Amino acid sequence: MSQDNLIIFDTTLRDGEQSPGASMTQDEKIRIAKALERLGVDIIEAGFPAASPGDFEAVAAVASKIKDSTICGLARALSNDIDRAGEALKHANSARIHTFIATSPIHMQMKLRMSEDDVVEKAVAAVKRARRYTDNVEFSPEDAGRSETDFLCRVIEAAIDAGAGTINIPDTVGYNLPDRFGSLIGELRERIPNADKAIFSVHCHNDLGLAVANSLSAVANGARQVECTINGLGERAGNASLEEVVMAVRTRQDVFNCDTRLDTQHILTCSRLVSSITGFAVQPNKAIVGANAFAHEAGIHQDGVLKHRETYEIMKAEDVGWNNNRMVLGKHSGRNAFSSRLENLGFTFSSEKELNAAFARFKDLADKKHEIYDDDLQALISDTLTTEEEAIKLIYVQVCSETGEMPEAQVTLDINGKEESISARGSGPVDAVYNAIEDLLNTSAHLQVYSVNNVTDGTDAQGEVSVRLETKTGGIISGNGADTDIVLASAKAYINAVNKMHSILGERVHPQI
Ligand code: KIV
Ligand code: ZN
């Protein structure tokens, strides 16, 4: 059987980030982009440069740092969007512009208020303008999943003629069923006269829980690029999950005559990184990356697995990065051992100062916790790199909590270089700390979600706290913090969210609304 390459186009940093509460800072985007590059993702959609100056800068920063993956910028079929994307990608080793316009009757009439002729004209103009910046142009007829096939054929043929080398078919609202979606791809490839000049791609949303199934059905019908996100992150019910698509194709090579180039052993690291940066927890029974994905509880299963693994396992846990969580370092480990282990995990320090700050935090952790695992290092690094950059820093927390008394917290923050302290009471220690922080910062944000997860086992484990705040203006932002003391981790998470609130939630244009 001949093996085609199935191109993996990751949109965690663009469509994933459009998920409420998943906004990321530039540094966080770079960290995720590096992890995706190491995973071997072919194309990274780094953002929508016309959304805001911050989004433009983030795409430009990712483009200048990533060498082995193509970096893509999204643009509506508007000259300004395309020019912004072209400029943001100026320093990319390999750049792609992805331009789109809606083609379904409901979107054309109600959102664009354009005729079919107008839409074709705009699509052609957008592709031609994007070709001024790069030969690598992708065109998407948005809401293709609810568009009329005859019109899709017309607009796609025109986009290919105008110079689009990739045609992406989005099921924007997750409406399609696998059989029909797969045959749509087959029909488009057959009916469009110049279809052989483009690679067909799919981009499925998960509103009916079918994003992965629809993507796979499209691959079986000739799609050779899948757009997906780590952990299935994305608007509403999310996008197709990268790890599920990749492992389905790899595991069922008896069915698919294509495979990806990914080094799947890095899947779990990417999943954890995205979860810890966005604060979106991975459900335990999530395929591939959930905590229970390879766990065997029932005695009969365990017995079967011990006798012969394939009785109950279709994949090897280690192939996606499980079982790599070795105890690696301890109190006596030196700087070299520390930085080389982190290099193996895909972290490179951008300065001596960054390494020193992380190493000091490591020593501190090793004093409290004797065995340091890879997961500990990842949580520690996330925590160190974010707090180094922040305008508001936690200096000191003291909490007094005793039976029959209302807990009281004293908190000192460094707010833009000036130290301020306050004490406050609350129904519990975390509530008291949050009340004190709010008294100092006056954000009036509403705490929507608060969760704590243990990074490793044992009572000396670090707790990773995730919070989601809703701002006065309805913006949603998440924050994270890790520490062996969960009250401290809680304070760090809240402060992390407030810092992000200032740096990310400005005026921002949503590409599809
Ligand atoms: O879901 C969608 O249609 C999109 C497009 C911008 C490709 O995200
Ligand atoms: Zn989408």
Side-chain angles (χ1 to χ4, degrees):
M1 220 188 254
S2 80
Q3 279 297 86
D4 283 356
N5 178 38
L6 178 62
I7 298 167
I8 293 297
F9 175 114
D10 179 280
T11 183
T12 306
L13 300 180
R14 198 279 297 171
D15 219 345
E17 206 215 11
Q18 280 174 219
S19 177
S23 302
M24 304 166 207
T25 64
Q26 182 174 307
D27 283 346
E28 289 171 339
K29 287 184 183 175
I30 291 170
R31 274 162 56 209
I32 292 178
K34 283 187 178 165
L36 293 172
E37 180 185 38
R38 186 160 170 256
L39 177 62
V41 159
D42 301 281
I43 300 157
I44 298 172
E45 189 166 49
F48 170 45
S52 72
D55 288 76
F56 177 93
E57 292 303 332
V59 174
V62 170
S64 66
K65 295 236 154 36
I66 300 298
K67 297 292 165 231
D68 297 336
S69 307
T70 295
I71 304 302
C72 176
L74 182 71
R76 292 168 296 188
L78 299 172
S79 308
N80 179 62
D81 276 29
I82 293 161
D83 295 345
R84 293 294 280 162
E87 289 196 11
L89 296 168
K90 203 159 59 187
H91 298 297
N93 216 10
S94 161
R96 170 179 291 189
I97 295 179
H98 174 192
T99 186
F100 73 99
I101 188 163
T103 52
S104 62
I106 186 170
H107 275 228
M108 289 191 290
Q109 282 157 27
M110 311 306 289
K111 181 175 94 165
L112 301 175
R113 299 186 196 284
M114 279 186 197
S115 67
E116 290 189 350
D117 289 350
D118 291 340
V119 167
V120 175
E121 194 188 308
K122 296 265 180 234
V124 167
V127 171
K128 286 189 174 159
R129 193 167 187 107
R131 284 293 301 255
R132 291 191 200 167
Y133 295 95
T134 170
D135 291 346
N136 191 344
V137 174
E138 170 173 329
F139 171 72
S140 289
E142 190 195 6
D143 204 18
R146 291 189 298 169
S147 300
E148 280 160 10
T149 311
D150 287 350
F151 181 55
L152 275 182
C153 289
R154 180 179 162 205
V155 72
I156 291 170
E157 184 182 350
I160 297 173
D161 267 347
T166 301
I167 295 297
N168 178 47
I169 306 300
D171 185 20
T172 303
V173 291
Y175 179 68
N176 277 251
L177 302 178
D179 229 28
R180 166 79 193 108
F181 192 65
S183 54
L184 171 67
I185 303 303
E187 191 180 342
L188 294 174
R189 290 182 60 233
E190 226 173 81
R191 280 183 54 187
I192 298 171
N194 53 4
D196 60 324
K197 307 226 162 27
I199 289 174
F200 277 71
S201 163
V202 287
H203 174 114
C204 298
H205 279 269
N206 205 30
D207 299 67
L208 291 173
L210 294 169
V212 170
N214 285 338
S215 305
L216 294 175
S217 174
V219 173
N221 282 278
R224 285 295 174 265
Q225 173 178 291
V226 174
E227 302 199 355
C228 44
T229 58
I230 299 287
N231 299 338
L233 188 70
E235 283 204 281
R236 307 183 309 276
N239 288 60
S241 134
L242 177 146
E243 56 279 5
E244 292 177 22
V245 169
V246 168
M247 289 315 291
V249 172
R250 179 84 33 107
T251 306
R252 296 306 307 267
Q253 282 290 291
D254 56 326
V255 174
F256 295 102
N257 55 359
C258 58
D259 197 3
T260 70
R261 296 197 181 114
L262 267 55
D263 182 352
T264 59
Q265 286 195 24
H266 300 304
I267 282 182
L268 192 63
T269 313
C270 286
S271 163
R272 297 227 163 129
L273 183 64
V274 169
S275 167
S276 110
I277 284 177
T278 57
F280 282 47
V282 173
Q283 76 199 51
N285 58 329
K286 163 87 174 64
I288 320 293
V289 293
N292 290 352
F294 292 90
H296 298 277
E297 187 84 53
I300 186 163
H301 285 201
Q302 278 181 8
D303 185 51
V305 172
L306 289 175
K307 283 186 180 133
H308 185 71
R309 190 172 59 195
E310 281 162 25
T311 45
Y312 285 100
E313 269 189 14
I314 57 166
M315 295 168 274
K316 291 195 204 132
E318 50 273 32
D319 286 352
V320 294
W322 287 98
N323 310 338
N324 287 344
N325 187 28
R326 281 167 289 136
M327 198 278 273
V328 279
L329 299 172
K331 201 177 158 124
H332 301 292
S333 307
R335 255 165 65 104
N336 283 347
F338 173 72
S339 69
S340 78
R341 185 63 207 154
L342 280 166
E343 233 163 76
N344 283 340
L345 288 175
F347 291 105
T348 39
F349 292 100
S350 54
S351 66
E352 195 68 7
K353 185 172 159 247
E354 212 173 73
L355 167 60
N356 290 344
F359 188 61
R361 293 282 284 271
F362 161 72
K363 283 288 179 191
D364 197 36
L365 180 64
D367 275 342
K368 296 180 195 150
K369 186 176 188 294
H370 299 303
E371 297 165 332
I372 309 279
Y373 294 83
D374 284 343
D375 286 348
D376 284 311
L377 292 179
Q378 293 199 8
L380 177 140
I381 282 296
S382 286
D383 207 58
T384 312
L385 297 187
T386 41
T387 49
E388 283 297 293
E389 303 293 322
E390 292 176 342
I392 302 166
K393 293 189 170 66
L394 180 68
I395 303 292
Y396 176 80
V397 178
Q398 187 194 38
V399 187
C400 187
S401 179
E402 58 183 299
T403 317
E405 293 295 325
M406 215 178 174
E408 182 172 9
Q410 206 193 328
V411 172
T412 304
L413 301 182
D414 175 324
I415 306 172
N416 295 316
K418 188 166 165 249
E419 283 197 12
E420 293 192 37
S421 303
I422 207 160
S423 55
R425 291 186 181 273
S427 60
V430 174
D431 192 44
V433 169
Y434 281 12
N435 288 340
I437 296 175
E438 258 311 302
D439 287 349
L440 284 173
L441 299 177
N442 276 316
T443 70
S444 305
H446 166 62
L447 181 66
Q448 273 193 339
V449 176
Y450 170 88
S451 70
V452 192
N453 285 303
N454 48 328
V455 173
T456 56
D457 293 334
T459 49
D460 66 348
Q462 292 190 87
E464 195 166 35
V465 174
S466 296
V467 296
R468 197 163 311 152
L469 302 183
E470 185 178 353
T471 67
K472 279 185 287 195
T473 51
I476 298 175
I477 201 89
S478 62
N480 305 291
D483 203 288
T484 48
D485 179 332
I486 58 164
V487 177
L488 273 178
S490 305
K492 288 180 188 176
Y494 198 95
I495 292 165
N496 177 232
V498 176
N499 276 300
K500 280 189 179 179
M501 203 185 281
H502 294 309
S503 67
I504 305 179
L505 288 182
E507 284 295 303
R508 211 175 186 201
V509 178
H510 186 294
Q512 290 165 270
I513 301 170

